[in-house]
Amino acid sequence: MQFDNLILEKEDDLAILYINRPKAMNALNAEALYELEEAIKEVKADPNVKVMIVTGMGDKSFVAGADISFILPLSPAEGRFFSDLGERVMRQFELLEKPVIAAVNGFALGGGCELAMSCDMRLASETAVFALPEVGLGVIPGFGGTQRLPRLIGEGRAKELTFTAEVINAQEAYRLGLVNHVYPLDQLMDQAKKLARKIAAKAPLAVGYAKFAINKGLQVDIETAMSIESDMFGMCCATADKSEGMSAFVEKRKPKFMGK
């Protein structure tokens, strides 16, 4: 599918999604959000794709937020609809059974920070900066930021960043636990692909089940969470990949996973 605001490339068993709105610093409007939804559907439907990487086109901006010129005239009802749309799209990254890595190559502000947080892992360039600046604009984060940031870095620190709209650099984001790793900008995509290929080499169904167990388990009490884990473990035992992986271990060879 051709996109106006995105570029979706396939590289072996990886999908690389570029947010491509250079005149708007890759900011998200409604059209871009709908295209993100379509891109996720395409990745989900492609059996050859095992891991997805999301990044911004260029070397200055991952996503510089939601498009302010688009939001400015919105009525309350329209604002609610736009927030619902953004939340729904971000949620699709979490619900995708394939891991998603954010390669944050510059500004990750507002909706951009929220997009990064909806991914499973975040790698940042040394030039990346993060913020939820919405209260300085008279609104609040509307794409899940008030919910994901506390889950990632804790309630107190999340409230401080949200209430002050403070901009933090990549090293501070790493210290807070918002990002997994920080790399020089010219190494970021290579490192993202290296991590993606390390994951892609594992049993894809098992990785998907593990993602589901972690994400779902974080929303419930520990007893229910462990029951979810047991369910996913049992589902793994129904796969050919489980037999292949364990047979390969016993036979001291490299497994050949088929995603079945």
Side-chain angles (χ1 to χ4, degrees), residues 4 21 58 136 167 172 196 245 250 256:
D4 294 325
R21 301 190 71 227
V167 178
E172 179 65 4
V250 171
K256 296 180 180 179

Side-chain angles (χ1 to χ4, degrees), residues 105-124:
N105 55 311
F107 295 113
L109 309 177
C113 188
E114 291 170 302
L115 172 59
M117 288 191 290
S118 72
C119 298
D120 298 299
M121 291 151 281
R122 286 151 295 282
L123 309 186

Side-chain angles (χ1 to χ4, degrees), residues 27-72:
L28 300 175
N29 59 9
E31 183 182 9
L33 288 170
Y34 284 122
E35 288 189 3
L36 278 173
E37 200 163 36
E38 291 303 312
I40 294 168
K41 290 178 183 177
E42 182 173 334
V43 169
K44 180 177 182 178
D46 189 338
N48 296 315
V49 173
K50 296 180 179 177
V51 182
M52 183 180 189
I53 298 171
V54 181
T55 192
M57 184 59 72
D59 58 7
K60 292 184 178 180
S61 183
F62 174 69
V63 170
D67 193 327
I68 301 301
S69 62
F70 178 84
I71 298 173
L72 180 60

Side-chain angles (χ1 to χ4, degrees), residues 103-234:
V104 182
N105 55 311
F107 295 113
L109 309 177
C113 188
E114 291 170 302
L115 172 59
M117 288 191 290
S118 72
C119 298
D120 298 299
M121 291 151 281
R122 286 151 295 282
L123 309 186
S125 72
E126 292 173 339
T127 57
V129 294
F130 299 81
L132 293 177
E134 285 86 351
V135 297
L137 299 169
V139 292
I140 70 170
F143 293 174
T146 63
Q147 304 308 306
R148 291 190 180 91
L149 190 60
R151 286 168 166 80
L152 286 168
I153 69 173
E155 179 185 343
R157 289 180 293 188
K159 285 180 175 177
E160 180 178 350
L161 289 179
T162 304
F163 297 168
T164 64
E166 181 182 357
V167 178
I168 61 172
N169 62 27
Q171 290 297 338
E172 179 65 4
Y174 175 77
R175 187 186 73 82
L176 292 173
L178 182 57
V179 302
N180 297 65
H181 303 283
V182 178
Y183 298 108
L185 178 60
D186 61 359
Q187 297 178 23
L188 178 64
M189 284 305 295
D190 286 342
Q191 292 293 337
K193 291 177 185 179
K194 181 179 178 181
L195 175 59
R197 290 194 172 104
K198 185 181 293 187
I199 296 169
K202 305 303 185 287
L205 290 175
V207 170
Y209 293 154
K211 174 174 176 174
F212 179 86
I214 292 169
N215 287 352
K216 192 72 172 178
L218 286 171
Q219 313 304 316
V220 298
D221 63 89
I222 187 66
E223 296 296 334
T224 304
M226 288 191 293
S227 179
I228 293 168
E229 180 181 85
S230 295
D231 288 343
M232 295 301 101
F233 187 90

